[in-house]
Amino acid sequence: MEALIAYARPLAQGAVVTVGLAVLSLALATLLGGLGAYGRLGGGRFGAWLVFIYTTIVRGIPDLVVILLVYFGGQRLVNTLAAALGAEAGFQVSPFVAGTVSIGFIYGAYLTETFRGAYMTIPRGQIEAAQALGLRPAPLLRTVTLPQLVRAALPGYANVFQVLVKSTAVVSVIGLADMVGIANSAGKSVREPFAFFVAVMLFYLLLTWASTTIFETLERRYARGFANAR
C-alpha cells in the first residue's frame, strides 16, 4: 500500500493518458466507421470493395500486430519519404499517436458494421416520404435519419467502446507511459507487481462502469424520445 501511495502521482498521470487515448481513439474510430458505412451503403462497387478489404484485414490481424506495424512501419515510411524528398531522416512516431491511430483504425472497422446495421433498420418509407415532401439531404439527415440511427447504433457503439478501452492496455508494449506501463515499471522496481496491477484492474473497472452508465443513460433518453415520437 505504501508503494502505491508513493507512486500515486505517476499512476494518476498514466490514467489520464489512458483516458485520453481511449477518447481520441473512439473519435477516430467513429469517423472511420461512418466513412466505412457510407462506403458500404452508397459508395458503389469500388467503395464497398474497399471497405470490405479494410474490415477483412482488421478482423484477421491481432490488435498487437497492428499496433507494432503502425509504430515501426509508420516511422520507416515517414523517414523513407523524408529521404526521398531530401529532408533529414530520423523521425520518431510518438507511442501515443501510434496507439491512437492503431486502435482507431481497428475499431473503425467494427463501427462500420455497427453503423451500417443501424442504418438498415430505418424504414425506407420514412426517407422516401421525407424526400417526396421536398426535404433536402441535410434536414433529412438531421431530423429523420440521424435520430433513428443513433438510437439503433448506441448499444453496439457502447459495446465497441468497452472493448476499445481494454485494448488501450496493449499500447504499453511500444513504450507508452499509460496506466499499465507505469504500473508495470513501478511494480518491478518495488517488487510488488500484484498490488499495482490490482490498482490497474480497479481503474479499468471504474472506467468501464462510468462509460456503461453514460451509454445506458443515452439509450434511455433516445428510446424515450422515440416512444414519444410514435
Coordinates of all heavy atoms in Angstrom, one line a residue, residues 117-215:
G117 N -25.5 -1.5 -39.9 CA -26.6 -2.3 -39.4 C -27.7 -1.4 -38.9 O -28.9 -1.6 -39.1
A118 N -27.3 -0.3 -38.2 CA -28.2 0.7 -37.6 C -29.0 1.4 -38.7 O -30.2 1.6 -38.6 CB -27.5 1.7 -36.7
Y119 N -28.3 1.7 -39.8 CA -28.9 2.4 -40.9 C -30.0 1.5 -41.6 O -31.0 2.0 -42.0 CB -27.9 2.9 -41.9 CG -28.5 3.7 -43.1 CD1 -28.8 5.0 -42.9 CD2 -28.7 3.1 -44.3 CE1 -29.3 5.8 -44.0 CE2 -29.3 3.8 -45.3 CZ -29.6 5.1 -45.2 OH -30.1 5.8 -46.2
M120 N -29.7 0.3 -41.7 CA -30.6 -0.7 -42.3 C -31.9 -0.9 -41.6 O -32.8 -1.4 -42.1 CB -29.9 -2.0 -42.5 CG -28.6 -2.0 -43.4 SD -29.0 -1.5 -45.1 CE -29.9 -3.0 -45.7
T121 N -31.9 -0.5 -40.3 CA -33.1 -0.7 -39.5 C -34.1 0.5 -39.8 O -35.3 0.4 -39.4 CB -32.8 -0.7 -38.0 OG1 -32.2 0.5 -37.6 CG2 -31.8 -1.8 -37.7
I122 N -33.7 1.6 -40.4 CA -34.5 2.7 -40.6 C -35.5 2.4 -41.8 O -35.0 2.0 -42.8 CB -33.7 4.0 -41.0 CG1 -32.8 4.3 -39.8 CG2 -34.7 5.1 -41.3 CD1 -31.8 5.5 -40.2
P123 N -36.8 2.5 -41.6 CA -37.8 2.1 -42.6 C -37.5 3.0 -43.9 O -37.4 4.2 -43.8 CB -39.1 2.4 -42.0 CG -38.9 2.3 -40.5 CD -37.5 2.8 -40.3
R124 N -37.4 2.4 -45.0 CA -37.2 3.1 -46.3 C -38.3 4.1 -46.6 O -38.1 5.2 -47.2 CB -37.1 2.2 -47.4 CG -35.9 1.2 -47.4 CD -34.6 1.8 -47.3 NE -34.1 2.0 -45.9 CZ -33.1 2.7 -45.5 NH1 -32.5 3.4 -46.4 NH2 -32.8 2.8 -44.2
G125 N -39.6 3.7 -46.1 CA -40.7 4.6 -46.4 C -40.6 5.9 -45.8 O -41.1 6.9 -46.4
Q126 N -40.0 6.0 -44.6 CA -39.8 7.3 -43.9 C -38.9 8.2 -44.8 O -39.2 9.4 -44.9 CB -39.3 7.1 -42.5 CG -40.2 6.4 -41.6 CD -39.7 6.4 -40.2 OE1 -38.7 7.1 -39.9 NE2 -40.3 5.6 -39.3
I127 N -37.8 7.7 -45.2 CA -36.9 8.5 -46.0 C -37.5 8.9 -47.4 O -37.4 10.1 -47.8 CB -35.6 7.7 -46.3 CG1 -34.9 7.4 -45.0 CG2 -34.7 8.5 -47.2 CD1 -33.6 6.6 -45.1
E128 N -38.2 8.0 -48.0 CA -38.9 8.3 -49.3 C -40.0 9.3 -49.1 O -40.2 10.2 -49.9 CB -39.5 7.0 -49.9 CG -38.4 6.0 -50.3 CD -39.0 4.7 -50.7 OE1 -40.2 4.5 -50.6 OE2 -38.2 3.8 -51.2
A129 N -40.7 9.2 -48.0 CA -41.8 10.2 -47.7 C -41.2 11.6 -47.5 O -41.7 12.6 -47.9 CB -42.6 9.8 -46.5
A130 N -40.1 11.7 -46.7 CA -39.4 13.0 -46.5 C -38.9 13.6 -47.8 O -39.0 14.8 -48.0 CB -38.3 12.8 -45.5
Q131 N -38.4 12.7 -48.6 CA -37.9 13.2 -49.9 C -39.0 13.7 -50.8 O -38.9 14.7 -51.5 CB -37.1 12.1 -50.6 CG -35.8 11.8 -50.0 CD -35.1 10.6 -50.6 OE1 -35.8 9.7 -51.2 NE2 -33.8 10.5 -50.4
A132 N -40.2 13.0 -50.7 CA -41.3 13.4 -51.5 C -41.9 14.7 -51.0 O -42.5 15.5 -51.8 CB -42.4 12.3 -51.4
L133 N -41.7 15.1 -49.8 CA -42.2 16.3 -49.2 C -41.2 17.5 -49.5 O -41.4 18.6 -49.1 CB -42.4 16.2 -47.7 CG -43.5 15.3 -47.3 CD1 -43.5 15.2 -45.8 CD2 -44.9 16.0 -47.7
G134 N -40.1 17.1 -50.2 CA -39.1 18.1 -50.6 C -38.0 18.4 -49.6 O -37.4 19.5 -49.7
L135 N -37.9 17.5 -48.6 CA -36.9 17.8 -47.6 C -35.5 17.5 -48.2 O -35.2 16.5 -48.8 CB -37.1 16.8 -46.4 CG -36.6 17.2 -45.1 CD1 -37.2 18.5 -44.6 CD2 -36.8 16.1 -44.1
R136 N -34.6 18.5 -48.0 CA -33.2 18.4 -48.6 C -32.4 17.4 -47.8 O -32.7 17.1 -46.7 CB -32.6 19.8 -48.6 CG -33.3 20.8 -49.5 CD -32.6 22.1 -49.6 NE -33.2 23.0 -50.5 CZ -33.0 23.1 -51.8 NH1 -32.0 22.2 -52.3 NH2 -33.6 23.9 -52.6
P137 N -31.2 17.0 -48.3 CA -30.4 16.0 -47.7 C -30.0 16.3 -46.3 O -30.1 15.5 -45.4 CB -29.2 15.9 -48.6 CG -29.7 16.2 -50.0 CD -30.8 17.3 -49.7
A138 N -29.6 17.6 -46.0 CA -29.1 18.0 -44.7 C -30.2 17.9 -43.6 O -30.1 17.3 -42.6 CB -28.5 19.4 -44.7
P139 N -31.4 18.6 -43.9 CA -32.5 18.5 -42.9 C -33.0 17.0 -42.8 O -33.4 16.6 -41.7 CB -33.6 19.4 -43.5 CG -32.8 20.3 -44.4 CD -31.7 19.6 -44.9
L140 N -33.0 16.3 -43.9 CA -33.4 14.9 -43.8 C -32.5 14.1 -42.9 O -33.0 13.3 -42.1 CB -33.4 14.3 -45.2 CG -33.6 12.8 -45.4 CD1 -35.0 12.4 -44.9 CD2 -33.4 12.3 -46.8
L141 N -31.2 14.3 -43.0 CA -30.3 13.6 -42.1 C -30.5 14.0 -40.7 O -30.5 13.2 -39.8 CB -28.8 13.9 -42.6 CG -27.7 13.4 -41.7 CD1 -27.7 11.9 -41.8 CD2 -26.4 13.9 -42.1
R142 N -30.7 15.3 -40.4 CA -30.8 15.8 -39.1 C -32.1 15.4 -38.4 O -32.1 15.1 -37.2 CB -30.6 17.4 -39.1 CG -30.6 18.0 -37.7 CD -30.4 19.5 -37.8 NE -31.5 20.2 -38.4 CZ -31.6 20.7 -39.6 NH1 -30.5 20.6 -40.4 NH2 -32.7 21.3 -40.1
T143 N -33.2 15.4 -39.1 CA -34.5 15.3 -38.5 C -35.1 13.8 -38.6 O -35.9 13.4 -37.8 CB -35.5 16.2 -39.1 OG1 -35.6 16.0 -40.5 CG2 -35.1 17.7 -38.9
V144 N -34.6 13.1 -39.6 CA -35.2 11.8 -39.8 C -34.2 10.7 -39.6 O -34.4 9.7 -38.8 CB -35.8 11.7 -41.2 CG1 -36.4 10.3 -41.5 CG2 -36.9 12.7 -41.4
T145 N -33.1 10.8 -40.3 CA -32.1 9.6 -40.3 C -31.3 9.6 -39.1 O -31.2 8.5 -38.4 CB -31.2 9.8 -41.6 OG1 -32.0 9.9 -42.8 CG2 -30.3 8.5 -41.7
L146 N -30.7 10.7 -38.7 CA -29.7 10.6 -37.6 C -30.3 10.2 -36.3 O -29.7 9.4 -35.6 CB -29.0 12.0 -37.5 CG -27.7 12.0 -36.6 CD1 -26.7 11.0 -37.1 CD2 -27.1 13.4 -36.6
P147 N -31.5 10.8 -35.8 CA -32.0 10.4 -34.5 C -32.3 8.8 -34.5 O -32.0 8.2 -33.4 CB -33.3 11.2 -34.4 CG -33.1 12.3 -35.3 CD -32.3 11.9 -36.5
Q148 N -32.8 8.3 -35.5 CA -33.1 6.8 -35.5 C -31.8 6.0 -35.6 O -31.6 5.0 -35.0 CB -34.0 6.5 -36.7 CG -35.3 7.1 -36.6 CD -36.3 6.6 -37.7 OE1 -36.7 5.5 -37.6 NE2 -36.6 7.5 -38.6
L149 N -30.8 6.6 -36.4 CA -29.5 5.9 -36.5 C -28.8 5.8 -35.2 O -28.3 4.8 -34.8 CB -28.6 6.6 -37.5 CG -27.2 6.1 -37.7 CD1 -27.3 4.7 -38.4 CD2 -26.4 7.0 -38.7
V150 N -28.8 6.9 -34.4 CA -28.2 7.0 -33.1 C -28.8 6.0 -32.2 O -28.2 5.3 -31.4 CB -28.2 8.4 -32.5 CG1 -27.7 8.4 -31.1 CG2 -27.3 9.3 -33.4
R151 N -30.2 6.0 -32.2 CA -30.9 5.1 -31.3 C -30.6 3.6 -31.5 O -30.3 2.8 -30.6 CB -32.4 5.3 -31.4 CG -33.3 4.5 -30.5 CD -34.7 4.7 -30.7 NE -35.1 4.3 -32.1 CZ -35.4 3.0 -32.4 NH1 -35.4 2.1 -31.5 NH2 -35.7 2.7 -33.7
A152 N -30.5 3.3 -32.8 CA -30.2 1.9 -33.2 C -28.8 1.5 -33.0 O -28.5 0.3 -32.7 CB -30.6 1.6 -34.6
A153 N -27.9 2.5 -33.1 CA -26.4 2.2 -33.0 C -25.9 2.2 -31.6 O -24.8 1.6 -31.4 CB -25.7 3.2 -33.9
L154 N -26.6 2.9 -30.7 CA -26.0 3.1 -29.4 C -25.6 1.8 -28.6 O -24.5 1.7 -28.1 CB -27.0 3.9 -28.5 CG -26.7 5.4 -28.4 CD1 -27.8 6.1 -27.6 CD2 -25.3 5.7 -27.8
P155 N -26.4 0.7 -28.6 CA -26.0 -0.5 -27.9 C -24.7 -1.1 -28.5 O -23.8 -1.4 -27.7 CB -27.2 -1.4 -28.1 CG -28.4 -0.5 -28.3 CD -27.8 0.6 -29.1
G156 N -24.6 -1.2 -29.8 CA -23.4 -1.7 -30.4 C -22.2 -0.8 -30.2 O -21.1 -1.2 -30.0
Y157 N -22.5 0.5 -30.3 CA -21.4 1.5 -30.1 C -20.9 1.4 -28.7 O -19.6 1.5 -28.5 CB -22.0 2.9 -30.3 CG -21.0 4.0 -30.4 CD1 -20.3 4.3 -31.6 CD2 -20.8 4.9 -29.3 CE1 -19.5 5.4 -31.7 CE2 -19.9 5.9 -29.4 CZ -19.2 6.2 -30.6 OH -18.4 7.2 -30.6
A158 N -21.7 1.2 -27.7 CA -21.3 1.1 -26.3 C -20.4 -0.2 -26.2 O -19.4 -0.1 -25.5 CB -22.5 1.0 -25.4
N159 N -20.8 -1.3 -26.8 CA -20.1 -2.5 -26.7 C -18.7 -2.3 -27.3 O -17.7 -2.8 -26.8 CB -20.8 -3.6 -27.3 CG -22.0 -4.1 -26.6 OD1 -22.1 -3.9 -25.3 ND2 -23.0 -4.6 -27.2
V160 N -18.6 -1.7 -28.4 CA -17.3 -1.4 -29.1 C -16.4 -0.6 -28.2 O -15.2 -0.9 -28.1 CB -17.5 -0.8 -30.5 CG1 -16.2 -0.3 -31.0 CG2 -18.2 -1.7 -31.5
F161 N -17.0 0.4 -27.6 CA -16.2 1.2 -26.7 C -15.6 0.5 -25.5 O -14.5 0.7 -25.1 CB -17.0 2.4 -26.2 CG -16.2 3.4 -25.3 CD1 -15.1 4.1 -25.8 CD2 -16.5 3.5 -24.0 CE1 -14.3 4.9 -25.0 CE2 -15.7 4.3 -23.2 CZ -14.7 5.1 -23.7
Q162 N -16.4 -0.5 -24.9 CA -16.0 -1.3 -23.8 C -14.8 -2.1 -24.2 O -13.8 -2.2 -23.4 CB -17.1 -2.2 -23.4 CG -18.4 -1.5 -22.9 CD -18.3 -0.8 -21.6 OE1 -17.3 -1.0 -20.9 NE2 -19.2 0.0 -21.3
V163 N -14.8 -2.7 -25.4 CA -13.7 -3.5 -25.8 C -12.5 -2.6 -26.2 O -11.3 -2.9 -25.9 CB -14.1 -4.3 -27.1 CG1 -12.9 -5.2 -27.5 CG2 -15.3 -5.2 -26.7
L164 N -12.8 -1.4 -26.8 CA -11.7 -0.5 -27.1 C -10.9 -0.1 -25.9 O -9.7 0.0 -25.9 CB -12.3 0.7 -27.8 CG -11.4 1.8 -28.3 CD1 -12.0 2.5 -29.6 CD2 -11.1 2.9 -27.3
V165 N -11.6 0.2 -24.8 CA -11.0 0.7 -23.6 C -10.0 -0.4 -23.1 O -8.9 -0.1 -22.7 CB -12.0 0.9 -22.5 CG1 -11.4 1.1 -21.1 CG2 -12.8 2.2 -22.8
K166 N -10.4 -1.7 -23.1 CA -9.5 -2.7 -22.7 C -8.3 -2.9 -23.6 O -7.2 -3.2 -23.2 CB -10.2 -4.0 -22.6 CG -11.2 -4.0 -21.4 CD -11.9 -5.4 -21.2 CE -12.9 -5.7 -22.3 NZ -13.6 -6.9 -22.1
S167 N -8.5 -2.5 -24.9 CA -7.4 -2.7 -25.9 C -6.3 -1.6 -25.6 O -5.2 -1.8 -26.1 CB -7.9 -2.5 -27.3 OG -8.7 -3.7 -27.6
T168 N -6.6 -0.5 -24.9 CA -5.6 0.5 -24.7 C -4.5 0.0 -23.9 O -3.4 0.5 -23.9 CB -6.2 1.7 -24.0 OG1 -6.8 1.3 -22.7 CG2 -7.3 2.4 -24.8
A169 N -4.7 -1.1 -23.1 CA -3.7 -1.6 -22.2 C -2.5 -2.2 -23.1 O -1.4 -2.3 -22.6 CB -4.2 -2.7 -21.3
V170 N -2.8 -2.6 -24.3 CA -1.8 -3.3 -25.1 C -0.8 -2.2 -25.6 O 0.4 -2.6 -25.9 CB -2.5 -3.9 -26.4 CG1 -1.5 -4.7 -27.2 CG2 -3.6 -4.9 -25.9
V171 N -1.1 -1.0 -25.7 CA -0.2 0.1 -26.2 C 1.0 0.2 -25.4 O 2.0 0.8 -25.9 CB -1.0 1.4 -26.4 CG1 -0.1 2.4 -27.1 CG2 -2.3 1.2 -27.2
S172 N 1.0 -0.2 -24.2 CA 2.2 -0.1 -23.3 C 3.4 -0.8 -23.9 O 4.5 -0.5 -23.5 CB 1.9 -0.6 -21.9 OG 1.5 -1.9 -21.9
V173 N 3.2 -1.8 -24.7 CA 4.3 -2.6 -25.3 C 5.2 -1.7 -26.2 O 6.4 -2.1 -26.4 CB 3.8 -3.8 -26.1 CG1 3.0 -4.7 -25.2 CG2 3.0 -3.4 -27.3
I174 N 4.7 -0.6 -26.7 CA 5.6 0.3 -27.5 C 6.1 1.4 -26.7 O 6.6 2.4 -27.3 CB 4.8 0.7 -28.8 CG1 3.5 1.5 -28.4 CG2 4.5 -0.4 -29.7 CD1 2.8 2.1 -29.6
G175 N 6.0 1.4 -25.4 CA 6.6 2.4 -24.5 C 5.7 3.5 -24.1 O 6.2 4.5 -23.6
L176 N 4.4 3.4 -24.3 CA 3.5 4.4 -23.8 C 3.5 4.4 -22.3 O 3.3 3.4 -21.7 CB 2.1 4.3 -24.4 CG 1.1 5.3 -24.0 CD1 1.5 6.7 -24.7 CD2 -0.3 4.9 -24.5
A177 N 3.6 5.6 -21.7 CA 3.5 5.8 -20.3 C 2.1 5.9 -19.8 O 1.7 6.9 -19.2 CB 4.3 6.9 -19.8
D178 N 1.3 4.9 -20.1 CA -0.1 4.9 -19.7 C -0.2 4.2 -18.3 O 0.8 3.9 -17.6 CB -1.0 4.2 -20.7 CG -0.6 2.7 -20.8 OD1 0.5 2.3 -20.5 OD2 -1.5 1.9 -21.3
M179 N -1.4 3.9 -17.9 CA -1.6 3.3 -16.6 C -0.9 1.9 -16.5 O -0.3 1.6 -15.5 CB -3.1 3.1 -16.3 CG -3.5 2.6 -15.0 SD -3.3 3.8 -13.7 CE -4.2 3.1 -12.3
V180 N -1.1 1.1 -17.5 CA -0.5 -0.2 -17.5 C 1.1 -0.1 -17.5 O 1.8 -0.8 -16.8 CB -1.0 -1.1 -18.6 CG1 -0.2 -2.4 -18.7 CG2 -2.5 -1.3 -18.5
G181 N 1.6 0.7 -18.4 CA 3.0 0.9 -18.5 C 3.7 1.3 -17.2 O 4.7 0.8 -16.8
I182 N 3.1 2.3 -16.6 CA 3.6 2.9 -15.3 C 3.5 1.8 -14.2 O 4.4 1.6 -13.4 CB 2.9 4.2 -14.9 CG1 3.3 5.3 -15.9 CG2 3.3 4.6 -13.5 CD1 2.6 6.6 -15.7
A183 N 2.4 1.1 -14.1 CA 2.2 0.1 -13.1 C 3.2 -1.0 -13.3 O 3.7 -1.5 -12.3 CB 0.7 -0.4 -13.2
N184 N 3.4 -1.4 -14.5 CA 4.4 -2.5 -14.7 C 5.8 -2.1 -14.3 O 6.5 -2.8 -13.6 CB 4.4 -2.8 -16.2 CG 5.3 -4.0 -16.5 OD1 5.3 -5.0 -15.8 ND2 6.0 -3.9 -17.6
S185 N 6.2 -0.8 -14.6 CA 7.6 -0.4 -14.3 C 7.7 -0.2 -12.7 O 8.7 -0.6 -12.1 CB 7.9 0.9 -15.0 OG 7.8 0.8 -16.4
A186 N 6.7 0.4 -12.2 CA 6.7 0.6 -10.7 C 6.6 -0.7 -9.9 O 7.3 -0.9 -8.9 CB 5.5 1.5 -10.3
G187 N 5.8 -1.6 -10.4 CA 5.7 -2.9 -9.7 C 7.0 -3.7 -9.7 O 7.4 -4.3 -8.7
K188 N 7.7 -3.6 -10.8 CA 9.0 -4.3 -10.9 C 10.1 -3.6 -10.0 O 10.9 -4.3 -9.4 CB 9.5 -4.3 -12.4 CG 8.7 -5.2 -13.3 CD 9.2 -5.1 -14.7 CE 8.5 -6.1 -15.6 NZ 8.9 -6.0 -17.0
S189 N 10.0 -2.3 -10.0 CA 11.0 -1.5 -9.2 C 10.9 -1.8 -7.7 O 11.9 -1.8 -7.0 CB 10.9 0.0 -9.5 OG 9.7 0.5 -9.0
V190 N 9.7 -1.9 -7.2 CA 9.5 -2.2 -5.8 C 9.2 -3.6 -5.5 O 8.9 -4.0 -4.3 CB 8.4 -1.3 -5.2 CG1 8.7 0.2 -5.4 CG2 7.0 -1.6 -5.9
R191 N 9.2 -4.4 -6.5 CA 8.9 -5.9 -6.4 C 7.5 -6.2 -5.8 O 7.4 -7.1 -4.9 CB 10.0 -6.6 -5.6 CG 11.4 -6.5 -6.2 CD 12.4 -7.2 -5.4 NE 13.7 -7.1 -6.1 CZ 14.8 -7.7 -5.6 NH1 14.8 -8.4 -4.5 NH2 16.0 -7.5 -6.3
E192 N 6.6 -5.4 -6.2 CA 5.2 -5.6 -5.7 C 4.2 -5.4 -6.9 O 3.3 -4.6 -6.9 CB 4.8 -4.6 -4.6 CG 5.5 -4.8 -3.3 CD 5.0 -3.9 -2.2 OE1 3.8 -3.4 -2.4 OE2 5.7 -3.6 -1.3
P193 N 4.4 -6.2 -8.0 CA 3.6 -6.1 -9.2 C 2.1 -6.3 -8.9 O 1.3 -5.7 -9.6 CB 4.2 -7.1 -10.2 CG 4.9 -8.1 -9.3 CD 5.4 -7.3 -8.1
F194 N 1.8 -7.3 -8.0 CA 0.4 -7.6 -7.8 C -0.4 -6.4 -7.3 O -1.5 -6.2 -7.8 CB 0.3 -8.7 -6.7 CG -1.1 -9.2 -6.4 CD1 -1.8 -10.0 -7.3 CD2 -1.7 -8.7 -5.3 CE1 -3.1 -10.4 -7.0 CE2 -3.0 -9.1 -5.0 CZ -3.7 -9.9 -5.9
A195 N 0.1 -5.7 -6.4 CA -0.6 -4.5 -5.8 C -0.9 -3.5 -6.9 O -2.0 -2.9 -7.0 CB 0.2 -3.9 -4.7
F196 N 0.1 -3.3 -7.8 CA 0.0 -2.3 -8.8 C -1.1 -2.7 -9.9 O -1.8 -1.9 -10.4 CB 1.3 -2.0 -9.5 CG 2.2 -1.0 -8.7 CD1 3.1 -1.5 -7.7 CD2 2.0 0.3 -8.8 CE1 3.8 -0.7 -7.0 CE2 2.8 1.2 -8.0 CZ 3.7 0.7 -7.1
F197 N -1.0 -4.0 -10.2 CA -2.0 -4.5 -11.2 C -3.4 -4.6 -10.7 O -4.4 -4.6 -11.4 CB -1.5 -5.8 -11.9 CG -0.4 -5.5 -12.9 CD1 0.9 -5.9 -12.7 CD2 -0.7 -4.9 -14.1 CE1 1.9 -5.7 -13.6 CE2 0.2 -4.6 -15.0 CZ 1.5 -5.0 -14.8
V198 N -3.5 -4.8 -9.4 CA -4.8 -4.7 -8.8 C -5.4 -3.3 -8.9 O -6.6 -3.1 -9.2 CB -4.8 -5.1 -7.3 CG1 -6.1 -4.7 -6.6 CG2 -4.6 -6.6 -7.2
A199 N -4.5 -2.3 -8.7 CA -4.9 -0.9 -8.9 C -5.3 -0.6 -10.4 O -6.3 0.1 -10.6 CB -3.8 0.0 -8.5
V200 N -4.6 -1.2 -11.3 CA -5.0 -1.1 -12.7 C -6.3 -1.7 -13.0 O -7.2 -1.2 -13.7 CB -3.9 -1.7 -13.6 CG1 -4.3 -1.8 -15.1 CG2 -2.6 -1.0 -13.5
M201 N -6.5 -2.9 -12.4 CA -7.8 -3.6 -12.6 C -9.0 -2.7 -12.1 O -10.0 -2.6 -12.8 CB -7.8 -4.9 -11.9 CG -9.1 -5.7 -11.9 SD -9.1 -7.1 -10.8 CE -9.3 -6.3 -9.2
L202 N -8.8 -2.2 -10.9 CA -9.9 -1.3 -10.4 C -10.1 -0.1 -11.2 O -11.2 0.4 -11.4 CB -9.5 -0.9 -8.9 CG -9.4 -2.1 -7.9 CD1 -9.0 -1.6 -6.6 CD2 -10.8 -2.8 -7.8
F203 N -9.0 0.5 -11.7 CA -9.2 1.6 -12.6 C -10.0 1.3 -13.9 O -10.9 2.0 -14.2 CB -7.8 2.2 -13.0 CG -7.8 3.1 -14.2 CD1 -8.3 4.4 -14.0 CD2 -7.4 2.7 -15.4 CE1 -8.3 5.3 -15.1 CE2 -7.4 3.6 -16.5 CZ -7.9 4.9 -16.3
Y204 N -9.7 0.2 -14.5 CA -10.4 -0.2 -15.7 C -11.9 -0.5 -15.4 O -12.8 -0.2 -16.2 CB -9.7 -1.4 -16.4 CG -8.6 -0.9 -17.4 CD1 -7.3 -0.9 -17.0 CD2 -9.0 -0.5 -18.7 CE1 -6.3 -0.5 -17.9 CE2 -8.0 -0.1 -19.5 CZ -6.7 0.0 -19.1 OH -5.7 0.4 -20.0
L205 N -12.1 -1.2 -14.2 CA -13.5 -1.4 -13.8 C -14.2 -0.1 -13.6 O -15.4 0.0 -14.0 CB -13.5 -2.3 -12.5 CG -13.1 -3.8 -12.7 CD1 -13.0 -4.4 -11.3 CD2 -14.1 -4.5 -13.5
L206 N -13.6 0.8 -13.0 CA -14.2 2.1 -12.8 C -14.5 2.8 -14.1 O -15.6 3.4 -14.3 CB -13.4 3.0 -11.9 CG -13.9 4.5 -11.7 CD1 -15.2 4.4 -10.9 CD2 -12.8 5.3 -10.9
L207 N -13.6 2.8 -15.0 CA -13.8 3.4 -16.3 C -14.9 2.7 -17.1 O -15.7 3.4 -17.7 CB -12.4 3.3 -17.1 CG -12.4 4.1 -18.4 CD1 -12.7 5.5 -18.3 CD2 -11.0 3.9 -19.1
T208 N -14.9 1.4 -17.0 CA -16.0 0.6 -17.7 C -17.3 0.9 -17.1 O -18.3 1.1 -17.8 CB -15.7 -0.9 -17.6 OG1 -14.4 -1.2 -18.2 CG2 -16.8 -1.7 -18.3
W209 N -17.4 1.0 -15.8 CA -18.7 1.3 -15.1 C -19.2 2.7 -15.5 O -20.4 2.9 -15.8 CB -18.5 1.2 -13.6 CG -19.7 1.7 -12.8 CD1 -20.9 1.0 -12.6 CD2 -19.9 3.0 -12.3 NE1 -21.7 1.9 -11.9 CE2 -21.1 3.1 -11.7 CE3 -19.0 4.1 -12.2 CZ2 -21.6 4.2 -11.1 CZ3 -19.5 5.3 -11.6 CH2 -20.8 5.3 -11.0
A210 N -18.3 3.7 -15.5 CA -18.7 5.0 -15.8 C -19.2 5.1 -17.3 O -20.2 5.8 -17.5 CB -17.5 6.0 -15.7
S211 N -18.5 4.5 -18.2 CA -18.9 4.5 -19.6 C -20.2 3.8 -19.8 O -21.1 4.2 -20.5 CB -17.8 3.9 -20.5 OG -17.6 2.6 -20.2
T212 N -20.4 2.7 -19.1 CA -21.7 1.9 -19.2 C -22.8 2.8 -18.7 O -23.9 2.8 -19.3 CB -21.6 0.7 -18.3 OG1 -20.6 -0.2 -18.8 CG2 -22.9 -0.1 -18.4
T213 N -22.6 3.5 -17.6 CA -23.7 4.4 -17.0 C -24.0 5.5 -18.0 O -25.2 5.8 -18.2 CB -23.2 5.0 -15.7 OG1 -22.8 4.0 -14.8 CG2 -24.3 5.9 -15.1
I214 N -23.0 6.1 -18.6 CA -23.3 7.1 -19.6 C -24.1 6.6 -20.8 O -25.1 7.2 -21.2 CB -22.0 7.8 -20.0 CG1 -21.3 8.5 -18.9 CG2 -22.2 8.7 -21.2 CD1 -19.9 9.0 -19.2
F215 N -23.6 5.5 -21.3 CA -24.3 5.0 -22.5 C -25.7 4.5 -22.2 O -26.6 4.6 -23.0 CB -23.5 3.8 -23.2 CG -22.3 4.3 -24.0 CD1 -21.0 4.0 -23.6 CD2 -22.5 5.1 -25.1 CE1 -19.9 4.5 -24.4 CE2 -21.5 5.6 -25.9 CZ -20.2 5.3 -25.5

